[in-house]
Amino acid sequence: IMYSMMTGDYPVSSGQTLNMNAEEGFNGVYIPRDVTLTVKKGGTVSINEPVFNDGTIVVDGGTLIIQDGGRLSNLATDGKNEIIVKNGGDVIIMPGGALYTNADYAMTLKNSRLINFGSLIMGGNLMLYSSFIENRKGGLIAGDMRFGDYSIDRFYQKYEGSDGKYYRDTIYWCEM
């Protein structure tokens, strides 16, 4: 199996869209250790196929969308790779998309949100600071999800009522 590799830090600025697609003949995209993908406010990254993160992804006010058929996986189990979403950034997992984490402190949300229509599979700590997760209709959240120190916040289950209006339940999490 061969992967396209990001070869250096990559900023996505306001008004830019980066479609994460592997080069022809490759099976996905690999972000190596010591490489940072940064999505600034107004920038968008769209993951359309497997992306394997061994580096750092920073969504700094921008938007990261995991499309149908897209998959974002953190590789290392030593906590040296991570996804940081801050300053009003959004991570949106569309139906058929998936986000997998398996490292301690693998994902941090600060003043941001994660909206899940697809699959959120957690195998490590998810740090929440003034942030929330919305699990929309059809969304799956599973795994060994632990919320680290000072990270207890709110989790929303959003659903459509029989009257066609949207409602949400607030669930407060602690150690699972």
Side-chain angles (χ1 to χ4, degrees):
I1 298 176
M2 297 186 347
Y3 301 99
S4 299
M5 184 181 306
M6 290 182 66
T7 56
D9 291 347
Y10 197 95
V12 179
S13 300
S14 180
Q16 293 182 319
T17 297
L18 172 64
N19 289 304
M20 298 283 290
N21 296 312
E23 297 171 54
E24 189 172 329
F26 290 82
N27 300 84
V29 178
Y30 174 67
I31 303 172
R33 180 108 3 152
D34 299 323
V35 169
T36 301
L37 169 63
T38 303
V39 189
K40 295 286 190 180
K41 184 174 183 159
T44 302
V45 170
S46 179
I47 294 177
N48 304 300
E49 52 191 77
V51 172
F52 300 94
N53 179 39
D54 203 14
T56 302
I57 298 172
V58 179
V59 182
D60 188 2
T63 303
L64 175 70
I65 303 171
I66 304 171
Q67 303 285 359
D68 182 13
R71 181 176 72 234
L72 175 58
S73 302
N74 268 1
L75 295 178
T77 58
D78 60 6
K80 296 196 186 275
N81 64 339
E82 62 184 326
I83 301 166
I84 301 166
V85 187
K86 60 184 184 176
N87 298 326
D90 290 320
V91 173
I92 303 168
I93 306 169
M94 298 303 293
L99 171 61
Y100 300 91
T101 67
N102 66 349
D104 286 341
Y105 307 105
M107 187 167 191
T108 302
L109 297 172
K110 295 180 180 179
N111 300 310
S112 297
R113 64 185 176 160
L114 188 150
I115 301 170
N116 181 41
F117 295 93
S119 298
L120 173 61
I121 312 300
M122 300 295 296
N125 286 337
L126 171 63
M127 305 299 287
L128 294 174
Y129 301 92
S130 300
S131 297
F132 62 90
I133 297 173
E134 284 187 17
N135 196 47
R136 301 282 181 98
K137 185 174 182 178
L140 168 71
I141 298 178
D144 178 20
M145 191 179 301
R146 296 182 305 275
F147 294 89
D149 295 342
Y150 310 110
S151 66
I152 306 301
D153 209 315
R154 57 194 184 273
F155 175 89
Y156 294 123
Q157 173 73 42
K158 189 169 184 177
Y159 61 95
E160 186 174 0
S162 59
D163 58 2
K165 294 181 182 177
Y166 283 95
Y167 299 91
R168 65 182 183 191
D169 296 327
T170 303
I171 304 166
Y172 291 88
W173 287 91
C174 57
E175 192 84 4
M176 285 182 59

